Amino acid sequence: MRLATFNIENLGSDDDDAAPIDERIAVLRPQLERLRADILCLQEINAKTKVAGVRRPVDLFRLVEGTAYADYTLDITAGLKGRGPADVHNLAILSRYPVLEREEIRQSLVTPPTWIRTTAEPADTAPFPVGWDRPIQRLVVELPGGAPLTVFNLHLRAPLAAAVPGQKSGPFAWKSISGWAEGFFLAAMKRSGQALELRLAIERIFDTDPDALIAVCGDFNAEDHDTALRIACAAEDDTGSGRLASRVLTPVERGLAADRRFTVLHHGRPQVLDHILASRALFGHLEEVRIHNEMLEDELVAYGRIAQPPESLHAPMVAEFSL
C-alpha cells in the first residue's frame, strides 16, 4: 500500500501571477504518476468553477485525467456553507480502496479559545474566538483483506502572523513589532488548536481499537518536535507515561538520511513541513519512504525570480507499507 501527501499549492488559482493550468498540469501530472499512490492526500485544491450552483474542482479533474487516479474515489472537503467545496484551499483524498466512512472535523472537538487583542486599533471591546479556517479530513478505507485504515488529511495554519486590526500597512508589512508579535502569537494558537483537535480525534479511535491502523498526512507547517507535531505525535517523553506508548504516532520520514529529509526550501534552509505520521500498528509494516525533492526550488528565490512558476514549492512524500 502506497500512501502519499502533496501540498500542490493553489491548484486552480485565477490570480494574475499564477501559471496557466495547462502549464501546471505538464509539471504536476508526472509528479503524481511517479508517486504511484494507492491513497493520495492533497492540500490547496481550489474550486472556483460552479456547476449548477455548486463549486467543482475542475482543475483537479483535468490534472488526473488519463491517469490511474481518474478511476479512484475522490473525497473533497466542503466549504462553510456545506454545499460543495470552498473556493480555495480544500483538502482532497483520492483512494484506490473502497471508502467506508468519511468525516470533516471543524472545531467540533475543540472550542476555539477567546482572546482580547492588546494592540488592535480600535481596541477590542470583547473577546473574540480564535478559530481556524480549514477542517480536518478523515476517511476510513477498506484495505485488501478487509482491514480498515483511518487516514487523516490536514493543512495547519502557516507560521505567518494573523491580521490584527489597524496594525498592518500591507499584505506582509506591519506598523509595529507589538502588532506583528501578537499576530504571530494568534497564528501559533490557531495551529496548535488544529493539532489538538486532530489528537482528540485520534484518541477517539484508540479508545475503540488500541491496535488501529492510523495515518495522518498533510502540511503541518511545523517541523519535527515543533509544538504542533508534539501534540499530534504524543511521544512518551512528552506524556511521561509508558502506559500510553501504544498511542504514539511516528513521522515516517525520520528514517531518511538528513540530506534527503526536506519538503520545503526556505532561504536556503531545508525544512520538513509536510509529514506522514503512522500509528504503531501501521508503522510496523513500513517498508520505504521517499521525498521527491530533487527539483524543488527555494520558495523565496522562486517567488522573486521565476515568472508564474508552474510547480509546487512543496515536495511530495510517499510511504510504502507491506500490509
Side-chain angles (χ1 to χ4, degrees), residues 129-204:
V130 185
W132 32 98
D133 303 325
R134 293 181 286 263
I136 297 170
Q137 186 179 23
R138 181 182 72 87
L139 249 61
V140 180
V141 301
E142 183 180 14
L143 298 173
L149 169 68
T150 300
V151 180
F152 290 94
N153 185 24
L154 53 79
H155 185 184
L156 302 189
R157 168 78 191 208
L160 294 172
V164 176
Q167 284 292 338
K168 299 193 73 173
S169 58
F172 300 101
W174 291 79
K175 296 179 180 178
S176 72
I177 290 178
S178 298
W180 167 83
E182 186 167 35
F184 197 75
F185 166 75
L186 292 171
M189 191 185 301
K190 291 170 179 279
R191 187 164 56 256
S192 296
Q194 287 178 282
L196 172 59
E197 189 156 53
L198 166 69
R199 189 67 227 191
L200 296 182
I202 292 167
E203 288 301 296
R204 292 191 307 178

Side-chain angles (χ1 to χ4, degrees), residues 54-99:
V54 178
R55 296 187 182 277
R56 292 287 183 263
V58 294
D59 290 312
L60 177 59
F61 296 150
R62 287 191 58 192
L63 175 61
V64 302
E65 185 179 358
T67 72
Y69 302 111
D71 296 324
Y72 285 19
T73 299
L74 169 65
D75 188 86
I76 188 166
T77 51
L80 289 173
K81 295 181 179 179
R83 292 189 68 246
D87 59 339
V88 296
H89 284 199
N90 296 285
L91 304 166
I93 299 177
L94 289 154
S95 174
R96 186 167 71 87
Y97 305 123
V99 175

Side-chain angles (χ1 to χ4, degrees), residues 9-288:
E9 283 205 320
N10 275 321
L11 182 72
S13 175
D14 57 4
D15 294 341
D16 292 339
D17 57 353
I21 185 60
D22 288 341
E23 294 179 10
R24 297 215 67 193
I25 288 173
V27 172
L28 294 172
R29 185 179 288 165
Q31 288 186 279
L32 297 188
E33 291 178 321
R34 182 186 176 194
L35 290 170
R36 295 183 289 110
D38 299 300
I39 302 170
L40 176 60
C41 296
L42 299 171
Q43 301 87 45
E44 295 199 23
I45 303 296
N46 297 341
K48 294 185 175 285
T49 301
K50 287 187 176 181
V51 179
V54 178
R55 296 187 182 277
R56 292 287 183 263
V58 294
D59 290 312
L60 177 59
F61 296 150
R62 287 191 58 192
L63 175 61
V64 302
E65 185 179 358
T67 72
Y69 302 111
D71 296 324
Y72 285 19
T73 299
L74 169 65
D75 188 86
I76 188 166
T77 51
L80 289 173
K81 295 181 179 179
R83 292 189 68 246
D87 59 339
V88 296
H89 284 199
N90 296 285
L91 304 166
I93 299 177
L94 289 154
S95 174
R96 186 167 71 87
Y97 305 123
V99 175
L100 303 177
E101 297 178 23
R102 72 170 307 276
E103 180 185 20
E104 293 179 30
I105 304 167
R106 191 197 304 261
Q107 297 168 172
S108 56
L109 302 180
V110 172
T111 300
T114 57
W115 185 254
I116 296 178
R117 289 167 293 208
T118 60
T119 64
E121 297 176 359
D124 286 338
T125 57
F128 76 99
V130 185
W132 32 98
D133 303 325
R134 293 181 286 263
I136 297 170
Q137 186 179 23
R138 181 182 72 87
L139 249 61
V140 180
V141 301
E142 183 180 14
L143 298 173
L149 169 68
T150 300
V151 180
F152 290 94
N153 185 24
L154 53 79
H155 185 184
L156 302 189
R157 168 78 191 208
L160 294 172
V164 176
Q167 284 292 338
K168 299 193 73 173
S169 58
F172 300 101
W174 291 79
K175 296 179 180 178
S176 72
I177 290 178
S178 298
W180 167 83
E182 186 167 35
F184 197 75
F185 166 75
L186 292 171
M189 191 185 301
K190 291 170 179 279
R191 187 164 56 256
S192 296
Q194 287 178 282
L196 172 59
E197 189 156 53
L198 166 69
R199 189 67 227 191
L200 296 182
I202 292 167
E203 288 301 296
R204 292 191 307 178
I205 299 170
F206 279 135
D207 287 343
T208 302
D209 181 5
D211 298 315
L213 300 173
I214 301 174
V216 182
C217 303
D219 180 358
F220 282 75
N221 273 306
E223 296 187 88
D224 199 351
H225 304 296
D226 285 351
T227 297
L229 260 290
R230 290 174 67 176
I231 292 172
C233 293
E236 291 171 77
D237 60 349
D238 278 323
T239 66
S241 176
R243 182 178 58 84
L244 301 174
S246 62
R247 297 181 175 223
V248 171
L249 300 187
T250 303
V252 300
E253 72 274 3
R254 285 180 180 173
L256 292 174
D259 63 345
R260 301 299 308 145
R261 196 164 60 238
F262 62 94
T263 63
V264 169
L265 288 171
H266 183 81
H267 211 183
R269 177 172 174 255
Q271 298 176 283
V272 186
L273 301 183
D274 308 86
H275 302 272
I276 297 175
L277 314 181
S279 64
R280 288 190 183 272
L282 181 61
F283 195 81
H285 297 280
L286 180 64
E287 291 285 342
E288 184 180 41

